[in-house]
Amino acid sequence: MQNENIIKGQGAQRNVINRFDRYTFEPEDEDFETVKTTFTEVFPKTIVNQVKSEDLPMEYSINPYQGCEHGCSYCFARPTHEYWGYSAGIDFERKIMVKKNAPELLEKFFQKKGYKPAPILLSGNTDCYQPAERQFEITKKMLQICLDYRHPVNILTKNALVLRDIEILKPMAEQNLVSVSLSIPTINEELRRKMEPRTSSAKNKLKAVEILSENKIPVNVMVAPIIPGLNSDEPLTILKAISDAGAQSFGYTLVRLNDTVEPVFLKWIESAFPDRAQKVLNLIRSMRGGKLGEKRYFNRQKGEGNIAEMIHNTFKIGRKKYFDGKEFPKLTTANFTGSKDQQLRLFD
């Protein structure tokens, strides 16, 4: 049963209080169904972020956009919008900051004396192929720079728009410079429209896996997040589908609702699934020591309790059944010289 009052096409059903604001004001009669997406250009001085989290495998990440139009209520990046003075709720989905100078900053980063290359993740926070990318093409320009400099990059996205840039990705893959991770938490299209309302359809994401694989571009799938009581019955079905489509590996995470993600998700689950909201919340608490969030390194990925263990065991079965013998390639940094020329760098 679905609440007819849910605002369709977005995850957040309202703005939530910014935890950094001393005073807050929100008009009671504000119509969030008519809020339009706005784009604001910002001018960062750097674009490559060093990743310091102990339980994450990447060293660097890039986020050409701040905020994300995809509208996933559980997105861990929502609280970062508060640093800009916005809400982690509807503002996160509708007030998008655009870093048009990102390609220029990336090239300068590659030219830095002494830089030792390591694969960069696009994106570590908000989606580099969210709908705004159709208009601004910042990701496409950065990929071209990565190709020009022969620098490895891992792409993480929920959007089949990645196929637009296949003519850049193909020569990168030929040099072992790129991989694509597509996020597919569900292949139930009715559930997908509620969980991630403005992402590509499940059918289109599976088709993207197939096309990328056919073009010899390595594909990983993130089955994430697993939300018990919503998509926790799907892992084996998803793993078979993505394996058949050509994916070489997969990863998964258990949902966690830290900081201001929690009130956004609470409002969403109560609106989207009023008949099972409390069951879902209680199942999440069972994996998070009685809470809805988890910040401790490694624990935040693993969870605890019987429900978490059952999910882990399901993925172990799926890995053995559908991915046995498959291996995901490691990207190379060997051909990066700090310039567009093939000439080796003489001095570090």
Side-chain angles (χ1 to χ4, degrees):
M1 176 178 165
Q2 179 176 314
N3 190 336
E4 293 180 357
N5 294 323
I6 188 172
I7 303 175
K8 296 181 180 180
Q10 58 192 47
Q13 298 299 296
R14 60 181 174 84
N15 272 326
V16 294
I17 295 173
N18 186 323
R19 62 209 155 113
F20 301 114
D21 284 351
R22 185 176 179 183
Y23 304 105
T24 61
F25 172 73
E26 185 175 295
E28 292 184 3
D29 60 349
E30 186 167 354
D31 185 1
F32 289 123
E33 293 195 63
T34 62
V35 176
K36 303 297 183 183
T37 302
T38 61
F39 302 103
T40 301
E41 184 175 3
V42 292
F43 302 90
K45 294 182 179 179
T46 60
I47 195 62
V48 180
N49 309 302
Q50 187 172 9
V51 179
K52 298 181 180 180
S53 297
E54 299 173 13
D55 56 352
L56 295 179
M58 75 289 294
E59 291 187 43
Y60 299 104
S61 69
I62 294 176
N63 299 286
Y65 305 99
Q66 179 64 37
C68 185
E69 297 173 84
H70 281 153
C72 309
S73 64
Y74 46 78
C75 179
F76 65 84
R78 284 183 177 275
T80 63
H81 226 47
E82 297 174 298
Y83 293 105
W84 297 81
Y86 294 121
S87 169
I90 291 176
D91 283 354
F92 178 77
E93 304 174 34
R94 299 301 192 186
K95 297 182 185 296
I96 309 299
M97 281 161 282
V98 181
K99 305 172 186 178
K100 292 182 181 179
N101 64 340
E104 176 187 349
L105 293 173
L106 179 60
E107 186 162 17
K108 288 181 179 179
F109 181 81
F110 286 165
Q111 294 172 346
K112 286 174 62 176
K113 186 177 180 180
Y115 167 61
K116 296 181 179 179
I120 292 176
L121 175 65
L122 263 171
S123 304
N125 199 40
T126 55
D127 203 310
C128 61
Y129 278 107
Q130 62 178 282
E133 172 63 16
R134 293 185 184 277
Q135 176 179 344
F136 297 104
E137 297 190 346
I138 299 172
T139 299
K140 182 176 185 177
K141 294 171 185 174
M142 287 195 293
L143 286 175
Q144 184 61 56
I145 289 171
C146 288
L147 174 59
D148 291 343
Y149 280 79
R150 302 166 304 283
H151 193 287
V153 60
N154 296 299
I155 299 168
L156 174 59
T157 183
K158 290 174 172 283
N159 204 314
L161 179 60
V162 64
L163 294 177
R164 179 201 63 187
D165 298 334
I166 200 163
E167 294 308 314
I168 300 175
L169 299 177
K170 285 170 65 176
M172 291 187 75
E174 289 170 1
Q175 301 177 63
N176 198 21
L177 294 174
V178 70
S179 71
V180 176
S181 288
L182 272 162
S183 176
I184 307 179
T186 178
I187 54 176
N188 178 329
E189 184 57 18
E190 182 179 354
L191 178 59
R192 197 279 311 167
R193 286 195 295 267
K194 296 175 185 177
M195 281 183 62
E196 37 178 37
R198 291 192 299 280
T199 65
S200 298
S201 68
K203 179 180 178 181
N204 285 343
K205 284 196 270 191
L206 287 173
K207 187 64 177 178
V209 173
E210 183 179 336
I211 292 172
L212 290 166
S213 300
E214 287 173 351
N215 283 275
K216 303 188 185 308
I217 298 163
V219 183
N220 173 74
V221 169
M222 287 300 298
V223 188
I226 296 297
I227 304 175
L230 286 186
N231 64 340
S232 53
D233 61 337
E234 289 193 71
L236 293 180
T237 305
I238 295 173
L239 295 186
K240 182 181 188 306
I242 63 176
S243 179
D244 291 346
Q248 293 169 270
S249 65
F250 70 88
Y252 68 98
T253 61
L254 306 182
V255 69
R256 54 190 173 92
L257 308 172
N258 291 340
D259 300 320
T260 37
V261 179
E262 181 177 325
V264 173
F265 184 88
L266 287 175
K267 184 65 176 178
W268 172 78
I269 193 73
E270 290 167 358
S271 299
F273 299 98
D275 57 329
R276 53 174 144 161
Q278 289 308 311
K279 176 184 177 182
V280 170
L281 294 172
N282 287 334
L283 288 170
I284 295 174
R285 290 187 182 101
S286 77
M287 301 192 306
R288 298 300 182 188
K291 301 178 181 180
L292 293 174
E294 176 60 84
K295 293 184 178 181
R296 292 174 296 170
Y297 290 139
F298 301 102
N299 294 75
R300 61 181 181 171
Q301 310 290 2
K302 186 177 180 181
E304 59 184 64
N306 293 334
I307 299 299
E309 191 64 28
M310 182 175 64
I311 293 170
H312 294 317
N313 288 336
T314 300
F315 277 103
K316 287 179 183 177
I317 293 170
R319 190 180 300 278
K320 184 175 182 180
K321 187 170 184 179
Y322 300 117
F323 284 83
D324 190 37
K326 290 195 175 189
E327 187 174 349
F328 200 69
K330 184 177 180 180
L331 303 185
T332 182
T333 60
N335 297 321
F336 177 83
T337 63
S339 74
K340 295 181 180 180
D341 301 324
Q342 280 292 110
Q343 181 179 356
L344 294 177
R345 190 190 304 193
L346 298 178
F347 304 99
D348 289 328

